[in-house]
Amino acid sequence: MQPLETTTIGSFPLEPSPENIRICARIQAEAGIDYPAVPQLEDFCMLFLKRMRGLRIEGDRVILEDLIEPGEISEIMDQVSETISELERHDVKGVKAQITGPVTLGSIVEAGEAPLIQYPDLYETLVETLCEIARRICDFTPIKVVFIDEPAIPGALWAGVQEDLIISSVNRVVEAIRGRGKVAGMHVCGRIVEYDYIFLKTGVTILHHEYKGTPDNIQAYSRRVIEETGKMVGIGCVKSKPEDTVVRVEDVSEVLETIVTAAGKYGAKNIILAPDCGFAPLKHVLPRDEAIDVVRRKLEKMVEAAGKARKMLIEGD
Ligand SMILES: [Zn+2]
């Protein structure tokens, strides 16, 4: 991705169906997003886990029964091809996909007394399955960027999972993506200041975090370390979660302010733009049509602010 280009994190506040995947793809394209994401309309963990062989799902619990294998992942590929066929009618630079990372999924799956990630040999079968999913997604030519969603990395460190295991398993998926010639990114939301050193050790090109909802994240990384490691920072510049039951659409000047602050810290040429996280939480506080309207307006404001930022910070140089 080029500096100040836009993408989204992936989830949207609609029920899963092929038609709704097309609607969410279209909303992104019509708002002017450079790299629309494959819409995630299911829970971002279950989306993958429920299609893998070797796991038993009981309500919210996922229990290891056997070595993990890809299983029904063609259903995930159907969602990718549905998105691509919608976006072919629009002018976009490429399509982004997302894969929930091994640390996050390995922390959820129960393997006897402990989470799967605590058993390296069994965990390996999950990592390899995710690599296979990554390769299959990357085989679609329009897919240019794949983000690995890893919100559970801070929790895994806290639970005593070795840093080396976290980095090496994420990097296996990164290599699967890069091996297909695609750009790898990572999304971790929430406060990440204490964990930036670990994200820097992964092989991803783009590190995306929430900067609008958690302005403190600006303390993470330095321009020098971003440039030395050849990475870019993905700036979450509009909120994606409701605050209690109130949902406010930021105005352009407010979005621009977040971008300018981030550009001042990291350098305009080292950042790309996206919302803080996925938009799925809006479905809990707004009726469907209002939720979708909020998404549309937030994306339009972000795209407009990105255009202004490009003029101010790059073309003006
Ligand atoms: Zn997130």
Side-chain angles (χ1 to χ4, degrees), residues 9 187-189 276-278:
I9 297 310
H187 164 68
V188 181
C189 48
D276 273 351
C277 186

Side-chain angles (χ1 to χ4, degrees), residues 58-252:
E58 271 182 28
D60 288 343
R61 297 175 61 197
V62 185
I63 300 148
L64 184 77
E65 291 212 303
D66 202 345
L67 300 181
I68 298 176
E69 290 179 40
E72 307 303 319
I73 60 171
S74 64
E75 292 174 17
I76 299 168
M77 304 311 144
D78 291 345
Q79 299 181 7
V80 178
S81 56
E82 194 77 44
T83 307
I84 288 172
S85 91
E86 176 62 37
L87 291 175
E88 273 167 358
R89 309 166 185 204
H90 302 266
D91 183 24
V92 299
K93 294 189 174 146
V95 182
K96 165 186 176 277
Q98 43 283 320
I99 293 176
T100 306
V103 177
T104 297
L105 295 180
S107 302
I108 289 175
V109 174
E110 299 172 33
E113 298 296 301
L116 176 63
I117 195 167
Q118 304 281 2
Y119 303 93
D121 290 352
L122 297 172
Y123 177 57
E124 165 58 28
T125 67
L126 171 67
V127 177
E128 183 45 41
T129 297
L130 288 171
C131 289
E132 178 60 19
I133 294 173
R135 288 188 288 263
R136 295 265 304 269
I137 290 176
C138 289
D139 281 341
F140 289 89
T141 309
I143 297 287
K144 304 293 183 202
V145 186
V146 182
F147 275 21
I148 303 168
D149 294 336
E150 280 287 26
I153 287 181
L157 283 166
W158 188 82
V161 178
Q162 293 299 307
E163 194 181 302
D164 285 354
L165 181 66
I166 291 174
I167 295 164
S168 66
S169 55
V170 169
N171 279 346
R172 291 270 305 284
V173 184
V174 172
E175 280 152 29
I177 297 164
R178 296 181 63 142
R180 290 290 200 268
K182 310 299 168 100
V183 173
M186 184 159 67
H187 164 68
V188 181
C189 48
R191 186 186 151 89
I192 53 87
V193 178
E194 292 84 356
Y195 308 102
D196 62 348
Y197 73 97
I198 199 162
F199 306 139
L200 284 167
K201 290 182 190 170
T202 67
V204 299
T205 304
I206 301 168
L207 293 163
H208 176 275
H209 307 292
E210 125 185 352
Y211 282 84
K212 178 66 183 162
T214 309
D216 265 11
N217 281 339
I218 198 75
Q219 292 167 34
Y221 312 118
S222 66
R223 178 171 183 157
R224 190 173 61 86
V225 81
I226 289 299
E227 291 183 345
E228 278 174 6
T229 52
K231 297 190 190 302
M232 295 180 98
V233 186
I235 306 299
C237 57
V238 294
K239 286 188 185 177
S240 47
K241 290 190 203 80
E243 290 161 288
D244 297 324
T245 55
V246 183
V247 183
R248 200 174 58 82
V249 177
E250 296 86 349
D251 56 34
V252 173

Side-chain angles (χ1 to χ4, degrees), residues 281-300:
L282 296 178
K283 78 176 162 200
H284 304 301
V285 294
L286 293 176
R288 175 203 145 110
D289 289 353
E290 272 179 56
I292 273 301
D293 186 52
V294 164
V295 171
R296 189 192 312 270
R297 281 155 55 215
K298 279 183 178 263
L299 295 182
E300 285 169 358

